[in-house]
Amino acid sequence: MSMFTHMLAILFGMGSWVSINGLWVELPLIVPQIPEGWYLPSYLSVLIQMANVGPLFVTLMHRFRPGALNETAVIYVIIILGTVASFLLGFFWKETVLVAGVPRSLALLVLTFFLAAVDCTSSVTFLPFMMRLQPQYLTTYFIGEGVSGLLPALVALIQGVGVVHCINTTQSLNHTINTSNSAGNYDLQAQYQPSNFSAEVFFFFLSAMMLVCLVAFLLLNHHPAAVREHPNPRYTNGTNENSQSRRTRAEQRPMMDPFRHQNHKNRSSFGTGSYSWMQVVYIFVILAWVNALSNTVLPSVQSYSCLPYGNNAYHLSATLAAVSNPLACFIAIFVSIRSLVFLGFLTVLGTGIGSYIMLMAALSPCPLLAEDTSGAAVMVLAWIFFILSLSYVKVIIGVILRDEGHSALVWCGAVVQLGSLLGAVTMFPLVSVYGLFSSGDPCNISCP
């Protein structure tokens, strides 16, 4: 193994979702300065799902025109597009234009769509590209994918985004209060602190991260240390052209679509045919489910589940959950349990923890143990183990599908996006239309 190639795989994976993840953590700084206000998260959710046209196109090309799509060229295009879009956001995110007589942040919304298209398409291009490297580098890539969420969160913490100080303000006739203290003379209110550097600088940072991803991709393709890790130097455009005699008979079978009807009754033509049709369906159902929960369903209610326990609980949950993703990938390097039964157990465990988080979000602003320190500790631990368990499942499924071939990883990326889409479609009306969740006050926890 080459540590240099491992580092390149991490940096390459980091570019997969760093732009959209960065945009989400920057929302508290962006929202007060644009006309859309807190409707912006809802708009972003819609734009991100619309951007799934990218992975849909790539998946259909692989299905109906295998080998016709130049995978390497597509990756270069989307990374460059992400770099340019992030850079332009630094200049135009506050600019507005009149649309039907109403000021709109058109540049922000359009550039966000391009960033979403880049990140969504990375799911069906970056993963299959990792077939060109030895299997152990796929797990390292997943670490980078986890860092794509962790790094923007850490930078946003340094920036001071969303940092709240609770201050006592004297009540007056012109002052509307939410919750008074027992003396009735003071109101504890949340006051957001100014950031240490601007949103423009943050967007330039995101652009730099995409540029780092581009350099890493160049080196993975051309640096001698990385090229030596290519198990098959003639692998191009998603088609394995090598005819080495060392390949097994299973590897010599033509790569078929896992869902295409075959004459085999029990075994599928999925990759090497190691799994039955029921196992294939089982793997993809789990993959869609864990991505729906961890990418869209639970993140959409994170503030509702955490803020009733205080601002510190919210920031700890968000930060440590972001750390848990790459940590799960790191654990998978040394402990890789491919048992489908074990993956099912972890999925049930993660779902159970997620159900607790969802229940507390539904009970907001007065969830269980809201005024107890143990409540905050339980919520932080719940987020850590929720992300840890489901992230491990995602990595191991990726490793399993990697062994099944290039087509399997294309379908893997497509199912990841499908699961995220279904989760977003489910949660958007519940959160943004029907308003079934109520926010807690990070400074005033007062429940009957």
Side-chain angles (χ1 to χ4, degrees):
M1 292 190 297
S2 166
M3 291 306 299
F4 176 71
T5 308
H6 275 297
M7 183 57 64
L8 291 180
I10 290 175
L11 295 177
F12 176 56
M14 185 184 64
S16 58
W17 281 93
V18 70
S19 299
I20 290 298
N21 287 333
L23 193 60
W24 278 112
V25 300
E26 196 71 359
L27 284 180
L29 195 60
I30 296 174
V31 163
Q33 304 182 58
I34 60 173
E36 288 78 10
W38 279 107
Y39 285 107
L40 180 63
S42 299
Y43 296 157
L44 294 186
S45 298
V46 174
L47 288 172
I48 291 171
Q49 302 317 315
M50 289 173 59
N52 277 307
V53 65
L56 177 62
F57 171 76
V58 173
T59 304
L60 291 177
M61 286 293 292
H62 277 287
R63 172 63 180 84
F64 296 106
R65 296 288 301 280
L69 193 65
N70 190 322
E71 190 174 82
T72 302
V74 172
I75 294 176
Y76 276 122
V77 168
I78 64 174
I79 296 178
I80 293 172
L81 179 60
T83 304
V84 173
S86 300
F87 186 75
L88 292 177
L89 271 176
F91 293 101
F92 301 110
W93 71 273
K94 285 194 294 187
E95 299 296 323
T96 61
V97 296
L98 290 177
V99 178
V102 179
R104 296 294 182 190
S105 304
L106 186 61
L108 173 63
L109 297 175
V110 170
L111 291 173
T112 297
F113 173 79
F114 285 124
L115 290 180
V118 167
D119 291 359
C120 291
T121 308
S122 72
S123 297
V124 292
T125 53
F126 284 22
L127 270 177
F129 170 79
M130 295 305 297
M131 278 292 296
R132 302 191 183 192
L133 301 176
Q134 298 290 345
Q136 59 267 26
Y137 295 107
L138 181 62
T139 306
T140 313
Y141 165 85
F142 279 117
I143 293 177
E145 197 172 76
V147 171
S148 73
L150 173 62
L151 188 59
L154 294 178
V155 174
L157 283 178
I158 296 172
Q159 186 184 14
V161 171
V163 175
V164 174
H165 286 178
C166 299
I167 60 174
N168 285 326
T169 58
T170 304
Q171 298 180 15
S172 66
L173 293 177
N174 297 324
H175 179 58
T176 302
I177 64 172
N178 294 320
T179 304
S180 302
N181 65 359
S182 58
N185 295 323
Y186 293 95
D187 174 33
L188 202 59
Q189 288 190 334
Q191 186 178 78
Y192 287 91
Q193 300 302 297
S195 61
N196 296 320
F197 53 87
S198 66
E200 288 84 351
V201 174
F202 187 83
F203 287 130
F204 293 147
F205 159 76
L206 294 181
S207 181
M209 290 301 95
M210 290 301 297
L211 192 60
V212 169
C213 174
L214 177 61
V215 172
F217 184 60
L218 279 167
L219 294 176
L220 283 174
N221 276 294
H222 302 293
H223 194 280
V227 172
R228 284 195 296 270
E229 300 298 326
H230 292 195
N232 179 9
R234 294 180 59 194
Y235 178 99
T236 58
N237 295 338
T239 304
N240 192 342
E241 299 175 355
N242 193 359
S243 58
Q244 297 178 6
S245 59
R246 294 180 299 174
R247 290 169 55 181
T248 63
R249 287 184 300 172
E251 291 171 334
Q252 289 174 342
R253 296 174 185 172
M255 187 62 62
M256 303 293 289
D257 183 271
F259 300 110
R260 187 180 299 172
H261 176 73
Q262 301 294 316
N263 294 326
H264 303 83
K265 285 187 178 181
N266 297 319
R267 314 308 294 181
S268 75
S269 60
F270 180 61
T272 61
S274 303
Y275 296 93
S276 68
W277 283 112
M278 289 301 297
Q279 289 173 320
V280 169
V281 173
Y282 173 80
I283 289 171
F284 278 136
V285 167
I286 286 182
L287 184 63
W289 177 253
V290 299
N291 277 280
L293 291 183
S294 60
N295 292 350
T296 52
V297 173
L298 270 299
S300 66
V301 298
Q302 185 168 30
S303 61
Y304 300 105
S305 67
C306 298
L307 279 179
Y309 297 101
N311 194 58
N312 287 336
Y314 174 68
H315 279 284
L316 276 175
S317 297
T319 303
L320 294 181
V323 172
S324 299
N325 192 321
L327 177 60
C329 303
F330 186 76
I331 293 173
I333 294 178
F334 303 99
V335 183
S336 180
I337 304 175
R338 302 192 185 193
S339 166
L340 298 186
V341 174
F342 181 69
L343 293 182
F345 166 75
L346 284 184
T347 302
V348 172
L349 175 65
T351 301
I353 298 172
S355 299
Y356 171 80
I357 295 173
M358 181 65 73
L359 177 61
M360 296 305 103
L363 294 176
S364 177
C366 293
L368 300 177
L369 304 174
E371 298 180 324
D372 196 315
T373 305
S374 62
V378 170
M379 181 54 63
V380 172
L381 289 174
W383 271 101
I384 291 173
F385 286 106
F386 168 73
I387 296 296
L388 195 65
S389 58
L390 297 193
S391 294
Y392 185 86
V393 171
K394 289 191 284 187
V395 173
I396 297 302
I397 288 180
V399 172
I400 290 174
L401 296 181
R402 193 269 174 210
D403 290 347
E404 294 300 313
H406 177 272
S407 177
L409 286 181
V410 173
W411 280 105
C412 176
V415 172
V416 165
Q417 290 306 117
L418 176 62
S420 301
L421 171 62
L422 294 176
V425 169
T426 301
M427 294 306 296
F428 177 78
L430 299 180
V431 175
S432 302
V433 178
Y434 299 108
L436 298 183
F437 298 89
S438 301
S439 297
D441 189 328
C443 292
N444 297 290
I445 303 174
S446 180
C447 295

